[in-house]
Amino acid sequence: MGGEAARFEVEEVLVETRELLVLSLGFTSADEPLDVLHIVSGAALSGEQPRPAEDELYLERTDQSLACTGGVEKIACDESEVVVTLTAQAAELLHLGRITRFSFEAHPGLYVQAVAQLSAMARVGHREIAIASDDA
């Protein structure tokens, strides 16, 4: 699926806010009835340049065999969707499209939770996360 766009309806959202900030988007895919994409950030960035791997977003789908560090070009909140744009390599590793849309039409309350967690990640310093002012 690496080069294609994909769209999934989010059925469940889980967040964690301890030493890591975690947003887990639960959805159904063609291969997996209980699929999930975990977006993970440290609670603080080191500020070092060049940016070490620990300061990059970590993405994991279903299990660690489908994972990557870095590879996120952009995560944007677009009305009732979270749009994840990945590098070609990250898309291949995660078996997702370069542009993957996670829709919240059936569960708009989950969108609010997802945006709040992505906002926390953006405040840590992840410039690749874009939150519209009316979503923040």
Side-chain angles (χ1 to χ4, degrees), residues 1-20:
M1 178 180 283
E4 305 168 21
R7 184 175 186 278
F8 300 104
E9 180 66 32
V10 174
E11 300 294 330
E12 183 176 23
V13 167
L14 298 170
V15 297
E16 186 176 317
T17 56
R18 294 184 184 101
E19 61 273 356
L20 295 174

Side-chain angles (χ1 to χ4, degrees), residues 56-116:
E56 298 291 339
L57 289 172
Y58 171 78
L59 297 164
E60 182 179 301
R61 181 174 176 190
T62 310
D63 66 48
Q64 291 180 341
S65 68
L66 301 171
C68 69
T69 298
V72 174
E73 290 181 356
K74 186 175 184 178
I75 297 176
C77 298
D78 182 19
E79 296 183 29
S80 65
E81 291 184 326
V82 171
V83 182
V84 179
T85 304
L86 302 169
T87 64
Q89 182 180 17
E92 192 67 34
L93 288 169
L94 294 165
H95 297 178
L96 289 172
R98 287 269 330 264
I99 299 171
T100 302
R101 297 178 174 278
F102 293 94
S103 176
F104 294 80
E105 291 174 7
H107 305 284
L110 297 179
Y111 178 75
V112 173
Q113 289 178 306
V115 170

